[in-house]
Amino acid sequence: MVNLYSGRFALYVWLLQSLAIIITVAFFLSQTAVSRSLFDLKESPKKQILLGVFFGAISVLGTVLGVQTNDAIANVRDIGAIAGGLFGGPVVGIIAGVIGGMYRASLGGFTANSCALATILNGTFAGLLYLKKKRPTFSPLWSFLFGLAAESFHMLLVLLISTPYDKALALIKTVSGPMILSNSIGVGLFLLVIQVSFKEKEIVSAMTAEKVLRIAEKTLPILSKGLDYETADETVKVILQNTNLDAVGITDTEKILAFRGIGSDHHKPTAPIETKSTRRALETKEIIIMFDEFEIGCKIENCPLRSGVAVPLKDSSGEVFGVLKLYRKERAMITPFDEEMAKGLANILSLQVELNRLETEKKLKTIFQLKALQSKINPHFLFNSLNVISYVTREDPDKARELIQKLSSILRQTIESEDSLSSLGDEIHLVNTYLEIEKERFGERLNYQLQLDPSLYNIKIPALILQPIVENAVEHGFSVTKRSLNVSVVGYKRGNYVFIVVDDDGKGFREEQLKEIFSETKKFSGLKNVYDRLVNLYGNKVVFKINTKVNKGTKVVIGIPTMG
């Protein structure tokens, strides 16, 4: 904190410089694994406390970077408290506000108490506004506007509480413009940084899923024979061919099974594990990121490996049976994409080996056919199903086999249909199988019922028009306020039409979101695909209606003509 008197223009410059430092710090922190975990939207008491401390530290930094003027401090302290409340809710906003406010109070001055109170209240008000939000995060514009209002309130509170009044009025005339502008811009930019971090994570996840599935498709027949020197070498070869990595290796718990790429002259199969990083991954059972050759820990002095990631391969009981290692030839070049890809590959490879032990590989040979996954099956559903199966395997192998058969049935039906006609009975069977798997995932939180006259089972309809609608109901039905979900599928005949109604009591959609369903947005591509195929086949004879209300649920009605 600088101890000097500043005119209004100088204050603008100083506070905007302070703002630039805070946003720069926020951006770099958002790229770390710790902050990415904190910024995850999944709420927990521990995470909210840590978020509160994080934003509280930003608030303290805003004071430290401030400048003393007129026996007070012009600062950007409220950025941390307000951004914390808008992003994390009341608990985060209050904690951040208290930390920032108490620090300000400890510095003294005739505005110490009023400024401390204003920061605490602004964090609280921002947290209460969080409860009214309709999107995962506030937009930078709305954050900026709220920042303007909150900082104006801050100035008013200082004027009303601080004494003497004349001195407070003189202070406000000097600092109000710079502080209101810099704090509100800071709040908007801080939320923008978080929003960019989310977008980056979504892009990385999408790219990772596609690449992992492509590799998994090719490694499934290889690892169906188990994990040995031959299959490990073929797997490493596939990974290296389908990525831009410089080296890839797989070990068991004692020796190298396969290694390709730079460094293969001394990292040879059958040789004992020598690198410290691999042994750490085996001992800790945690992913290890290596930013330089010292963290890799190879005993060969001129080893070309300069950075990498090592991920333990685990069986269904959580025991480590090997390590997958991805390397690059430059220091500190392991990206979030590399880390996510390593995790995804390790998860898939572990599961493939485990399935071999349960002798169920043949039932899953169609799971990783890339074309079907990309065009018809949501990768998140596939990953979630595999995770559920992996977990159930530990407790109930028979149940796991049953789930594998059901997942295989879904994939087989989607792959073989190729957008051809299917019987209504087959479509209902597909929906039932899908819901049984999701029921295993969500437990008592998900309930469903199917009501259809068996006399309608043989009626032909376009394949795969019901499962995407039901999947949409499950994936978009849950929310913070909707912890349970009821889904029903009802079919009946009226005149020359067969009507199918998919109804849920989930969180529903807003009117503007409903319009997105019939646009080119990828968020509702499943529903859009169903609508387009029905219109292409039946023209204006088809009935396709969506009734939805926020926090009340969604009803999709499809009417298909049975003649012409």
Side-chain angles (χ1 to χ4, degrees), residues 213-432:
L213 289 172
R214 184 165 65 247
I215 293 172
E217 176 195 18
K218 296 179 180 179
T219 58
L220 180 60
I222 298 172
L223 291 175
S224 64
K225 305 171 187 176
L227 186 63
D228 53 27
Y229 291 110
E230 181 180 353
T231 58
D233 183 64
E234 291 184 50
T235 300
V236 165
K237 180 181 178 181
V238 168
I239 295 174
L240 204 57
Q241 288 176 339
N242 288 273
T243 63
N244 64 348
L245 296 164
D246 296 307
V248 179
I250 294 178
T251 75
D252 58 17
T253 56
E254 298 178 352
K255 57 188 177 299
I256 299 173
L257 296 180
F259 193 97
R260 284 176 176 260
I262 60 173
S264 58
D265 58 329
H266 58 277
H267 293 280
K268 296 182 178 181
T270 73
I273 296 172
E274 298 290 353
T275 55
K276 293 186 297 184
S277 54
T278 304
R279 293 206 171 276
R280 281 181 59 204
L282 288 169
E283 292 169 2
T284 63
K285 299 182 181 180
E286 299 290 339
I287 182 172
I288 304 296
I289 308 294
M290 300 89 75
F291 293 101
D292 55 42
E293 61 269 32
F294 302 106
E295 293 185 354
I296 292 174
C298 180
K299 293 183 177 181
I300 302 301
E301 184 176 354
N302 296 320
C303 180
L305 305 176
R306 292 291 182 266
S307 59
V309 54
V311 189
L313 302 174
K314 301 178 183 179
D315 60 22
S316 58
S317 64
E319 291 300 313
V320 176
F321 62 85
V323 177
L324 170 67
K325 305 181 292 182
L326 312 180
Y327 293 106
R328 293 196 179 279
K329 60 185 178 182
E330 297 91 4
R331 294 185 181 91
M333 286 302 293
I334 292 299
T335 65
F337 173 80
D338 293 329
E339 184 179 346
E340 289 297 316
M341 181 172 65
K343 292 177 183 178
L345 285 174
N347 187 36
I348 292 292
L349 297 182
S350 297
L351 184 57
Q352 287 175 336
V353 173
E354 186 68 11
L355 290 175
N356 171 261
R357 295 176 183 176
L358 296 172
E359 298 182 348
T360 56
E361 312 86 355
K362 293 181 181 178
K363 299 173 184 176
L364 287 175
K365 282 188 176 180
T366 58
I367 287 182
F368 302 110
Q369 293 193 18
L370 181 61
K371 180 179 177 181
L373 288 171
Q374 290 178 327
S375 62
K376 295 169 183 173
I377 293 297
N378 188 329
H380 294 294
F381 164 64
L382 177 60
F383 279 134
N384 289 333
S385 299
L386 291 175
N387 285 331
V388 169
I389 293 171
S390 178
Y391 173 78
V392 173
T393 299
R394 308 174 196 172
E395 307 293 332
D396 190 348
D398 292 335
K399 182 66 175 179
R401 293 189 184 95
E402 181 184 341
L403 290 175
I404 289 170
Q405 290 174 341
K406 291 175 180 177
L407 183 59
S408 299
S409 174
I410 289 177
L411 293 168
R412 187 179 303 111
Q413 186 169 345
T414 57
I415 291 169
E416 292 175 355
S417 63
E418 293 294 338
D419 201 30
S420 63
L421 292 178
S422 174
S423 71
L424 183 54
D426 286 342
E427 293 300 296
I428 291 296
H429 174 72
L430 173 61
V431 167
N432 185 63

Side-chain angles (χ1 to χ4, degrees), residues 174-186:
T174 302
V175 305
S176 59
M179 284 188 61
I180 291 174
L181 180 65
S182 56
N183 277 277
S184 55
I185 290 177

Side-chain angles (χ1 to χ4, degrees), residues 9-24 65 75-76 79 177-186 189:
F9 178 76
L11 280 178
Y12 274 111
V13 175
W14 186 274
L15 293 183
L16 289 175
Q17 287 177 336
S18 301
L19 164 62
I21 293 174
I22 287 181
I23 297 303
T24 301
L65 294 172
N75 61 84
V76 287
I79 290 176
M179 284 188 61
I180 291 174
L181 180 65
S182 56
N183 277 277
S184 55
I185 290 177
L189 289 178

Side-chain angles (χ1 to χ4, degrees), residues 132-204:
K132 301 294 184 181
K133 70 183 179 70
K134 298 180 179 181
R135 297 181 179 182
T137 59
F138 282 100
S139 70
L141 176 60
W142 278 108
S143 303
F144 168 77
L145 294 176
F146 179 79
L148 285 176
E151 204 58 20
S152 298
F153 167 76
H154 185 146
M155 297 298 108
L156 179 61
L157 199 62
V158 170
L159 193 60
L160 293 176
I161 295 178
S162 302
T163 56
Y165 177 80
D166 292 341
K167 190 175 181 180
L169 180 60
L171 173 68
I172 295 303
K173 288 181 178 180
T174 302
V175 305
S176 59
M179 284 188 61
I180 291 174
L181 180 65
S182 56
N183 277 277
S184 55
I185 290 177
V187 172
L189 289 178
F190 208 114
L191 269 292
L192 178 62
V193 167
I194 295 175
Q195 198 173 79
V196 169
S197 178
F198 283 156
K199 292 295 183 182
E200 181 183 359
K201 184 177 180 180
E202 291 176 2
I203 293 172
V204 168

